[in-house]
Amino acid sequence: MNSKEIREKFLRYLEKQGCKIVPSGSLVPENDPTTLFTSAGMQQMVPYLLGEKHPLGTRIANSQKCFRAKDIKEVGDLRHNTFFEMLGDWSFNDFFKQEQLIWIFEFLTKEVGLDPKRLFVTVFRGSPENNIPKDTETADIWKSLFKSAGVEAKDADFSEKNGMGKDEKIFYYDDNKNWWSRSGSPENMPIGELGGPDSEIFWDFGADLKMHENSSWKGQPCHVNCDCGRFFEIGNNVFMQYIKEKDGIKTFSKKNVDFGGGLERIAAASIDSPDVFKTDLFLPIINQVEKMSGKRYNSSASEEDKAFRVIADHARAAVLLVADGVFPSNKERGYFARRVIRRALVKAQKLGINDNFMAPMAEIVFEIFEGVYVFPKEKAAEELEKEETKFRKTLVEGLKKFNELILREKEKSGIIKEDGFVKILKGVESFYLYQSFGFPKELIQELCEENGIEFDEKGFNEEFLKHQELSRTASAGMFKGGLADAGEQTTRLHTAAHLMLAALRQVLGSHVMQKGSNITAERLRFDVAHSQKITAEELQKVEDLVNEQISKKIAIEESEMSLEEAKKQNATGAFENKYGDRVKVYTIGNFSKEICGGPHIKNTGELGKFKIIKEESSSSGVRRIKAVLS
Ligand code: SER
């Protein structure tokens, strides 16, 4: 069964049970400042679980787009994803355990056709310290459901110690595993938070696959919650009947249900593939990566296959994030978009893909979700391409630099470790990769791990803070010395000043350096080192050159790099001694490149007409120019 059929069947089946179907909410949660992303279907239901009336009633179902940022590091195995879809249904103090479990069992076994022999469940063991009883009601319902399907279902306890016995289907766990709230266990719940015992459903890919024997868990007993990959959790029924109060967990006045099932995993179970990347939710991406790289994907644990999976997961997530308005940046949500895109690009590079990548990926992802979600396709593709173009400028050089750095570390002997070398990427160096080549911190960390190099996280963080401090100082200094304010008109004149300095250097020579500036909303005043009067003819040339750049509508690019790198790129800098190790560089086409704290406008097209209104002597060897924009 393909994923579209499963999604549809789930919604139609729940509709038959009286649920109203609502659309997926955005990956950016509305009115919820506590979290960056929607990571469970219940997030948009919280007010109704708490008792507010839902306009559509007390039974709701949907398929919700989710992004779990905390799973980024897990991606690479056969079953973890950052972006996934959660099939969900909710009871707002309406149906409860009996109905929920019957429906879900019927949906999985009859609608999707999963063999009940291969389903396993977990149930809450109870928490005496919180006064919450063992959930025998749920266990009894499961037993009768399995029985009705002709399957023996025995209780099992302390499964992690003993492993699984014959016919044992029902496993009991404590509040670490079988209690669900947005903040985890009862102890971690803030006052007013809802939670409750949950009952998870697992699919068994079978002992024959020897996944356990071939995993790092070999030698320990295998059980449903073992991480070897033999079992997939495919659904979770949360019985939200408790609330955290000042004096602990109390029974809530309403009996709610919150069910969530991972579409990718149910789809994988339905085709009996322990690799979710073989489902139609990923396969077209994998196929495209095969085509572009000329390599084949084999579902193995090799670094190459892992790269395929990271790309497939991250490219899909990137498209979905950007489509929901999460554009790559260095902050908050945008940083996650940036991280998944850049990590996917590094992996693609490793598979030998140098061509533009995100745009063809976006096409394929749109296709996968055709008729399911509506995307602002053009805008999304544009943002993805923009980010790719930006990173491609530094990607290859950055990887080269990284290799140089680790080679140097490998060659350098120091305190003896097992293999004779100290291998550590120091904070200054990793920060350099971050700052000058745009490598996200976690990506550098991963590259270090892959190369057996220690990543000095503390050192990186220290550099990061130091830099933040420096850029604050730099921009404060800039406002004082140069710009009267950061208003629009002043900013335009500031950009014009950069163009003018570059033009002066072309017309008068590269000895012309900035000696000081004062920019207000009305005019720019600019002092340059030059020993003679600048002639009317020369001024005209400067004016023409500046206006020429304006008419070319050139985008202004901002980047950050080391001072050394900025000098290497021939960036002009006025107050070198004021800068720290890391500097911002503004580039205007091939015309101007200057170290500067900003701010600047985005495009020279925004400037209008540039005119020099005065040229005079300021002090010995220094000329003062005043200019305006109209
Ligand atoms: N909220 C629960 C979960 O995320 C069930 O939907 O697992």
Side-chain angles (χ1 to χ4, degrees), residues 590-626:
N590 293 328
F591 192 71
S592 150
K593 191 183 273 292
E594 230 185 290
I595 301 172
C596 171
H600 285 279
I601 50 151
K602 297 232 164 342
N603 192 292
T604 59
E606 292 165 46
L607 291 181
K609 200 163 165 38
F610 174 77
K611 188 151 185 52
I612 294 173
I613 51 170
K614 193 166 194 167
E615 192 278 337
E616 62 192 351
S617 162
S618 164
S619 59
S620 161
V622 176
R623 309 298 303 180
R624 173 163 287 182
I625 303 170
K626 286 185 184 161

Side-chain angles (χ1 to χ4, degrees), residues 8 17 46 94 160 173 185 255 308 353 383 443 544:
E8 241 348 84
Q17 315 309 331
V46 172
D94 184 332
E160 280 173 71
Y173 287 94
S185 66
K255 286 182 165 178
F308 267 93
I353 302 172
E383 287 294 330
L443 189 60
D544 290 348

Side-chain angles (χ1 to χ4, degrees), residues 384-554:
L384 291 163
E385 275 195 279
K386 208 158 84 187
E387 178 66 5
E388 174 164 359
T389 310
K390 204 185 237 169
F391 191 45
R392 281 218 181 274
K393 285 197 191 129
T394 53
L395 168 62
V396 175
E397 216 193 312
L399 283 174
K400 214 171 91 195
K401 192 82 216 168
F402 173 79
N403 288 330
E404 270 169 37
L405 286 171
I406 61 168
L407 192 70
R408 200 197 61 204
E409 284 304 312
K410 282 182 174 165
E411 281 168 353
K412 205 169 63 184
S413 59
I415 308 160
I416 306 293
K417 275 202 173 173
E418 295 132 85
D419 58 355
F421 301 111
V422 173
K423 293 183 283 185
I424 184 161
L425 191 67
K426 289 189 211 76
V428 247
E429 290 161 345
S430 54
F431 189 77
Y432 172 58
L433 290 168
Y434 166 85
Q435 183 74 353
S436 303
F437 301 95
F439 281 45
K441 171 183 157 183
E442 297 77 7
L443 189 60
I444 303 169
Q445 200 160 6
E446 184 182 352
L447 287 170
C448 284
E449 275 163 27
E450 282 172 14
N451 285 280
I453 291 267
E454 209 176 301
F455 173 77
D456 174 12
E457 184 161 16
K458 195 167 153 266
F460 178 93
N461 292 342
E462 277 166 14
E463 284 300 312
F464 190 86
L465 285 176
K466 208 155 79 188
H467 170 74
Q468 268 184 335
E469 197 54 41
L470 278 171
S471 52
R472 261 198 300 274
T473 323
S475 57
M478 192 63 204
F479 280 139
K480 255 189 262 138
L483 272 63
D485 58 59
E488 200 192 350
Q489 188 61 7
T490 311
T491 307
R492 287 170 72 229
L493 281 158
H494 185 202
T495 306
H498 277 222
L499 291 174
M500 187 178 81
L501 177 62
L504 285 164
R505 286 163 64 87
Q506 272 195 25
V507 176
L508 307 174
S510 58
H511 63 276
V512 173
M513 297 299 273
Q514 178 176 349
K515 282 287 172 196
S517 76
N518 175 292
I519 301 172
T520 66
E522 286 74 42
R523 55 100 185 101
L524 68 84
R525 195 188 74 199
F526 204 81
D527 293 348
V528 288
H530 186 61
S531 46
Q532 306 109 289
K533 185 170 174 57
I534 309 171
T535 66
E537 203 184 310
E538 287 166 335
L539 288 174
Q540 188 61 51
K541 274 194 195 151
V542 170
E543 232 182 39
D544 290 348
L545 268 172
V546 172
N547 282 317
E548 194 188 324
Q549 306 316 307
I550 295 173
S551 68
K552 280 191 193 158
K553 298 192 182 16
I554 307 168

Side-chain angles (χ1 to χ4, degrees), residues 39-43 68 84 86-90 180-182 198 200 233 235-238 240 258-261:
S39 62
M42 61 79 74
Q43 267 166 245
R68 288 202 173 163
F84 68 100
M86 194 184 268
L87 302 177
D89 71 76
W90 293 273
W180 202 91
S181 81
R182 285 185 298 175
D198 67 5
E200 297 179 336
E233 182 207 327
N236 185 15
N237 305 275
V238 186
M240 291 225 154
D258 160 29
F259 169 77

Side-chain angles (χ1 to χ4, degrees), residues 93-155:
N93 199 30
D94 184 332
F95 61 84
F96 206 45
K97 296 180 181 174
Q98 182 81 13
E99 294 91 332
Q100 174 60 30
L101 298 178
I102 292 177
W103 296 343
I104 259 351
F105 192 74
E106 188 168 78
F107 166 68
L108 292 173
T109 58
K110 302 264 168 62
E111 300 280 321
V112 183
L114 297 182
D115 181 353
K117 286 200 210 72
R118 293 170 64 182
L119 291 178
F120 291 75
V121 298
T122 60
V123 173
F124 186 50
R125 187 195 279 168
S127 167
E129 60 275 26
N130 286 301
N131 228 354
I132 310 163
K134 181 173 177 174
D135 192 0
T136 48
E137 189 188 347
T138 293
D140 289 343
I141 299 169
W142 281 128
K143 278 178 203 164
S144 72
L145 282 169
F146 276 113
K147 199 166 169 201
S148 69
V151 179
E152 176 103 44
K154 287 190 190 155
D155 278 344

